[in-house]
Amino acid sequence: YLMRKYISEFLGTFMLVFIGTSSVVIAKGNVLTIALAFGLAITVSAYAFGGISGGHFNPAVTTAMLINRRISATDAIAYIISQVLGATVASLFVKIFVGALSLPTNQLGQTDFPKISTGIAFLVEVLATFLFLMVIINVTSKDHGDAARAGVVIGLTLSLLIIFALNLTGASLNPARSFGPAIFAGGSALKHIWLYILAPEVGAILAALCSKYLLGSED
């Protein structure tokens, strides 16, 4: 049973990163296309695999759920490993297909912030992840959530936040989503990977604490 959960996290994160980053570099979509690709991918994955694992597909989500005691520390570690592996394998496939089209194989939908300062980029990722996690935690709360519609709500929220953040930081909100492409793209994306790991985690921790103590999400 445990392996089913970890495989589900791998597959859901794979779907998110593969579909999302493909919309950037293969489909060459606009902001709305990219936002919908990521949002719909997370919605589809939530309904396909969420019933098995809870549908985190994001180390920041797993961290928040660990803080609010919805998941054990052992499962949390295994989830994060599964998510990072899913994102990395997804980026490998994207690189193969990008290469087949004779496109630059160092352009894999990686996240970076060439137009803004490091401090502003950190703030953007913290704020966007905070808002994303506030929705996730509360829409899945046993006290006041709506489990039947959670997948749609979470997908729409991700799409909206990507519209806001895409041209600022690439709109990660997810350490695994940034890690996979950066490993293969290298360069500035890999140099700045620390921000895309740390900032979403900070946003997730703040959301977990606010949801628990201000909104009673764990009652």
Side-chain angles (χ1 to χ4, degrees), residues 176-196:
R177 177 261 177 272
S178 287
F179 181 86
I183 287 296
F184 295 104
S188 182
L190 191 57
K191 178 183 175 184
H192 291 146
I193 191 64
W194 66 269
L195 186 144
Y196 292 100

Side-chain angles (χ1 to χ4, degrees), residues 58-82:
N58 181 339
V61 174
T62 299
T63 297
M65 296 305 177
L66 176 63
I67 290 170
N68 286 352
R69 297 184 178 180
R70 296 195 199 176
I71 188 174
S72 69
T74 303
D75 270 351
I77 292 167
Y79 271 39
I80 291 170
I81 292 170
S82 301

Side-chain angles (χ1 to χ4, degrees), residues 163-174:
I163 290 170
F164 146 63
L166 188 67
N167 288 329
L168 292 166
T169 62
S172 175
L173 291 66
N174 182 336

Side-chain angles (χ1 to χ4, degrees), residues 104-153:
T105 54
N106 64 345
Q107 298 297 314
L108 301 173
Q110 65 267 32
T111 50
D112 208 353
F113 48 94
K115 300 176 184 177
I116 58 176
S117 68
T118 301
I120 294 296
F122 196 92
L123 178 61
V124 168
E125 286 293 320
V126 169
L127 176 60
T129 311
F130 172 80
L131 295 172
F132 188 39
L133 265 293
M134 286 293 284
V135 171
I136 291 173
I137 293 166
N138 286 283
V139 80
T140 58
S141 169
K142 288 182 179 178
D143 178 69
H144 52 251
D146 186 348
R149 298 178 179 85
V152 172
V153 172

